Amino acid sequence: MRFNPQVDPVLKDLLHEEIERQQTTLSMIPSENCLSSAVIKLLGNVFNNKYAEGYPGNRYYQGCGVADKVESLAIERAKAAFGAEHANVQPHSGSGANMAAYFALLNDGDTIMAMDLKQGGHLTHGSKVNFSGKVYNVVHYSVDPKTEQIDYDQMLQLARETKPRMIVTGATAYPRTIHFDKWQAIADEVGAYHLADISHIAGLVAAGVHPSPVPYADVVTFTTHKTLAGPRGAVILCKAKYADAIDKAVFPGLQGGPLMHVIAAKAAVLGEVTTPAFRGYQQAIVENARALADELLRRGYRLISGGTDNHLILLDLRPLDLTGKVVAAALEEAGIVLNMNTIPFDPKGPKTTSGIRFGTPILTNRGMGPAEMVQIADMMDRVIKNYDNAAIKAQVRQEVKELCARYPIYTDLQI
Ligand SMILES: *Cc1c(COP(=O)(O)O)cnc(C)c1O
């Protein structure tokens, strides 16, 4: 008997509800993007059905000939896009990619030096509530309290004092350029591995809009669903000498069968990143973030580090005596979706926070430019200053809908 489940009406309705939400709101969470309709359709492909444990040419299942071609294509494109010696395209997520990198190079109890979550690092950079903080001895670094940027002299001093086995660079909430060459000099000086986690900025790096760690770092991990604008998942790049250790750490170390349907979608997007259209998109992300930051500064807001070099902005709400929690909720009511976020040396915890974090990958992908950023800054300004005024939030909600209607997405997506 055939088993042939359909998408039931309950789920159909929920999918339509989510498409409507994405179409009619300004999505400004800087770790999100909107996949093209073409790649969304590609994601729903028959490779979902295929078990392909192992790697191209070396599988534990029969029938992997075509899967081999797809995975090899993704690997070659990842290497070409970033100029890497080796690529593993199987990690299901950025967290898993980092775990594999640690497992490949470290022993339990080794010391890692990484940015504190509260300062802009990621959970997998040694947070106490994450495996990384339980398995390894963690030395956390912060930004300089005055400049709110990384001070490389301080970092060298800390590395000399603590002698980490690995230095983890990269962040989830750092609005400035990361100088991977300076980090490499520090890692070399203390004899540490260098793991660069470029999850947030992978698209900028591939487009040459942000300096690349690939020539330096031993291992580079990144998610494919943030600025890179691909399917959810991750990639690990490394020097050839670590290829074997990295591959073994991913499979069989951590994962079972790869998500071959997602790897196909990764290949599609990685094939685009060397095109002028992709470069133009990444440049526009940064230009839009700068336009948004400039307009907020002009209106008197305090931005962490005084502005942005990349795709994201961290806004300090302390001068207004407001919390990230209250402001993020008020903005969502007005159709502006972003997240509360701790700021460096935040007196408040992660469930309240003194800041909000937002960025331009989706706005830019919809085709918006600097003029729209000025308009959005104005809408944000009105909501933040009138966070408890229902009429103003309703007025901005209407304006957001009108703006979104001018930059439609997913009009050709049938569910
Ligand atoms: C998003 C992110 C991750 C984790 O990615 P997931 O796919 O959510 O597990 C890891 N590191 C950094 C720096 C990130 O920004």
Side-chain angles (χ1 to χ4, degrees), residues 111-277:
T111 298
I112 60 171
M113 177 172 149
M115 191 180 248
D116 197 337
L117 178 70
K118 291 186 295 234
Q119 306 281 337
H122 187 258
L123 276 168
T124 54
H125 297 183
S127 163
K128 268 202 219 82
V129 298
N130 183 265
F131 81 92
S132 54
K134 299 181 206 283
V135 175
Y136 304 108
N137 177 41
V138 182
V139 174
H140 269 146
Y141 61 84
S142 305
V143 294
D144 179 82
K146 279 213 191 69
T147 61
E148 296 172 321
Q149 300 194 39
I150 295 165
D151 178 327
Y152 294 87
D153 293 332
Q154 286 176 23
M155 294 302 106
L156 175 59
Q157 210 175 329
L158 183 65
R160 276 190 180 138
E161 281 161 17
T162 57
K163 299 191 173 45
R165 185 112 179 91
M166 176 186 278
I167 297 178
V168 183
T169 63
T172 62
Y174 186 67
R176 292 300 184 173
T177 299
I178 298 175
H179 297 284
F180 294 109
D181 53 344
K182 293 186 187 173
W183 271 121
Q184 187 60 47
I186 296 169
D188 286 343
E189 167 110 20
V190 301
Y193 291 118
H194 180 186
L195 166 62
D197 176 357
I198 58 166
S199 288
H200 258 261
I201 54 172
L204 307 183
V205 168
V209 179
H210 186 289
S212 172
V214 175
Y216 316 107
D218 298 295
V219 182
V220 176
T221 55
F222 62 90
T223 49
T224 42
H225 51 274
K226 296 179 183 172
T227 49
L228 198 71
R232 300 198 80 81
V235 170
I236 306 178
L237 307 174
C238 66
K239 301 286 185 211
K241 61 181 164 181
Y242 305 119
D244 204 36
I246 289 288
D247 285 352
K248 281 193 179 123
V250 174
F251 174 85
L254 274 173
Q255 294 186 172
L259 308 178
M260 283 311 308
H261 58 305
V262 180
I263 290 173
K266 284 176 184 171
V269 173
L270 287 164
E272 297 276 332
V273 307
T274 46
T275 61

Side-chain angles (χ1 to χ4, degrees), residues 3 181 219 245 268 330 338 342 345 372 381 399 403 407:
F3 176 56
D181 53 344
V219 182
L338 42 64
T342 52
F345 310 99
E372 286 72 37
D381 185 25
E399 292 171 29
L403 177 59
Y407 296 93

Side-chain angles (χ1 to χ4, degrees), residues 96-108:
N98 284 345
M99 197 182 221
Y102 293 149
F103 286 1
L105 299 180
L106 301 175
N107 294 312
D108 291 8

